[in-house]
Every structure is written in C-alpha cells, then in structure tokens.
Amino acid sequence: MCFFYVTMRVRFFHLFLFFAFLAAAIFVGPHISDAQERIEEKVGKLLVKEFDPEKLTVQATGGGSFLYAKATGIVIKGVRIESVSLYAMMKEPPNNIKEDDEDHKYKLADLIHYSRGEVVLLEKDFTEYTSKEIEDIKGFKNLECDFSKNGIRVSGSYVATFLFTFNIRMEVLSKLAFDERGLCLTDTTLLVAGVKQPEYLTSQLLERINPLIERERIPFPVRITRIDFSDDRIVITGNPQPLKDANVWNYKRP
C-alpha cells in the first residue's frame, strides 16, 4: 500500500509541473499588438501540442495581464485528469524572456503575482489506473480506490512469500489537505486484515509519504482554498474563475 501512495506522490508532482508549464505557456506570447496570432490562440496551441487535451479554453485580456485556461481530459503519468484550471495575474510583462531560454518556464513563473488553481480527479479514472498500472506490482493485487465525502479509501491484497505464502488484506482511509508543507495526506487510518494499526505505524507511513507535493516545489504562487470530496471526484481548488469581457480561444480534440 505504501507503494501506491509513493506512486500517487509522483503523479501529483507531475500534475503540479503541469501547472508550471501552463503558467509558462500562458505568458510566453508577445503583447497582442505585436503579434499576428492573438495571445490566447498562441497559448492554446502550445498547450495542445504539449498535453493533447480533450478540450481546452484559453482567455486573455487585451494586454495579457490577466489570463485563464482550463484543460479537460489530460493524461499525466498514466492517470487521466478530468480538468486543470488556472487564473493568473502578472507582476510585469515578460518582455525579456525568450522561449528558447532553457529555464524560461521558471523565469516566467517568477513573474506571476497571483494565481488560483483547480484540479478535478474522477474516481473512475483512478480506478482504471489502479487496475491497469499497479496490478501485480510490488506484491500488491486487486487494488481498489473509492472516493466518498469522507475521503479516499484504497484497499488491496499484499502477497509475500517467506517459507509460506501470505496474502494480507490491507486498507488505508485518508483525506487530503493543502497546508504550509504542501499537499498532504491527513486523517489517515491504516488497517491490516481489518484491524486498525497503532498510531505510530500510521505516522511512520505518513512521514515517508508526506507531503505529496512540497509547497516550495511549486514554482509560482498558487492559491488553494479547499479540497472537496464526493462519491465520484476530488476537487482541489482555489476557485479560479473565467474572465469577463476577454478574448477566447477554444479547442476540441478531433
């Protein structure tokens, strides 16, 4: 079960790297008055090329100081993400940054004054991932993932051989929180063969895993205000809102 959560950590890290690329792509274009392509179209094409989303909407104000993008149906490290949204405001235009700079993404991220992000994960996508990608890996079998208003439940069998073959049923109940450390598992219960394990074992597990994403690894300031759980999805959100009276570019995968 620890392997599953370490894998989750890797997936969440790459998800927030997507945020970084999204922010970089949003601000990589020139000022609208100097470009043949509108900034929202230029940004949209970069995101389509990089992530092949099912759908994409990009909005930009006239000078590009405020932008909004929402990508639906992207795959990160084998996990389908229902949607990723970002609203951002810049400190200053990125006039001196070039696309061919090796670290242009991080230079651009430094210019973001404020942003709100949102990630929506569906239970069916995590279920598909666990059944295809983790099955029979590292001794774990029949892994199941269940979302509810109370958090995440991951259960499965761990098979080990030492003189005899042991088949142990394990279960983890947990929630997510975004605090000063970053994105973390919290309120976690570990059960083995239906028996709740001592707090120190659960604490040791969490110490190895948390944070899933370190706050300092997110290369720009992004606001997350709450994490909502339901029976079919998890919404990690800072409530980014589409822009009003902005230019819009839309894409849908053929």
Side-chain angles (χ1 to χ4, degrees):
M1 197 62 61
C2 181
F3 172 78
F4 177 81
Y5 277 110
V6 171
T7 305
M8 281 181 62
R9 179 174 183 164
V10 173
R11 271 47 180 187
F12 275 121
F13 175 67
H14 283 88
L15 181 59
F16 277 84
L17 285 183
F18 170 80
F19 263 144
F21 180 88
L22 178 61
I26 280 178
F27 302 115
V28 81
H31 192 282
I32 288 177
S33 60
D34 300 327
Q36 292 183 349
E37 279 186 312
R38 301 190 71 89
I39 188 171
E40 65 275 5
E41 180 178 359
K42 184 179 182 70
V43 167
K45 289 180 178 179
L46 284 171
L47 293 172
V48 168
K49 180 179 179 181
E50 186 73 16
F51 296 105
D52 189 27
E54 296 168 9
K55 292 191 297 183
L56 176 68
T57 294
V58 182
Q59 296 179 309
T61 55
S65 297
F66 294 89
L67 296 104
Y68 171 85
K70 180 176 181 178
T72 301
I74 62 171
V75 177
I76 296 179
K77 290 292 181 179
V79 179
R80 181 185 178 276
I81 309 299
E82 173 65 10
S83 67
V84 180
S85 306
L86 183 73
Y87 160 90
M89 178 174 63
M90 292 294 286
K91 297 176 185 176
E92 60 182 79
N95 296 326
N96 298 321
I97 298 176
K98 307 297 182 183
E99 278 189 74
D100 55 0
D101 289 348
E102 291 185 1
D103 59 348
H104 76 273
K105 297 178 184 179
Y106 296 97
K107 289 181 179 179
L108 288 163
D110 287 341
L111 295 180
I112 297 177
H113 175 67
Y114 176 83
S115 71
R116 292 178 176 269
E118 181 175 282
V119 179
V120 179
L121 309 171
L122 298 185
E123 182 187 71
K124 68 179 183 65
D125 294 324
F126 258 72
T127 298
E128 182 177 358
Y129 168 74
T130 56
S131 64
K132 289 184 178 180
E133 301 295 334
I134 302 184
E135 191 76 13
D136 299 329
I137 294 178
K138 300 291 185 180
F140 291 102
K141 295 180 179 293
N142 304 317
L143 280 172
E144 298 177 355
C145 184
D146 181 57
F147 292 177
S148 73
K149 294 180 180 179
N150 297 320
I152 307 171
R153 179 181 66 84
V154 179
S155 60
S157 299
Y158 180 74
V159 180
T161 301
F162 180 74
L163 297 180
F164 301 97
T165 298
F166 298 89
N167 192 324
I168 305 170
R169 187 70 178 175
M170 301 181 69
E171 186 173 4
V172 176
L173 308 175
S174 191
K175 290 186 176 181
L176 293 172
F178 195 80
D179 57 25
E180 67 280 356
R181 296 173 296 169
L183 186 66
C184 299
L185 294 173
T186 186
D187 298 336
T188 300
T189 300
L190 173 64
L191 299 100
V192 176
V195 178
K196 183 178 178 180
Q197 298 303 294
E199 184 63 31
Y200 78 90
L201 288 179
T202 305
S203 298
Q204 288 183 345
L205 175 66
L206 293 179
E207 285 179 7
R208 294 182 59 186
I209 296 170
N210 281 332
L212 295 171
I213 298 293
E214 297 174 0
R215 183 179 283 272
E216 56 265 29
R217 298 293 291 273
I218 305 173
F220 60 95
V222 59
R223 181 172 172 79
I224 300 294
T225 54
R226 70 181 190 274
I227 300 177
D228 296 330
F229 294 87
S230 67
D231 290 340
D232 68 339
R233 69 190 59 209
I234 300 172
V235 181
I236 305 169
T237 186
N239 196 31
Q241 294 296 314
L243 301 173
K244 297 181 179 179
D245 301 321
N247 301 308
V248 182
W249 187 83
N250 291 305
Y251 165 84
K252 185 176 182 179
R253 186 192 296 163

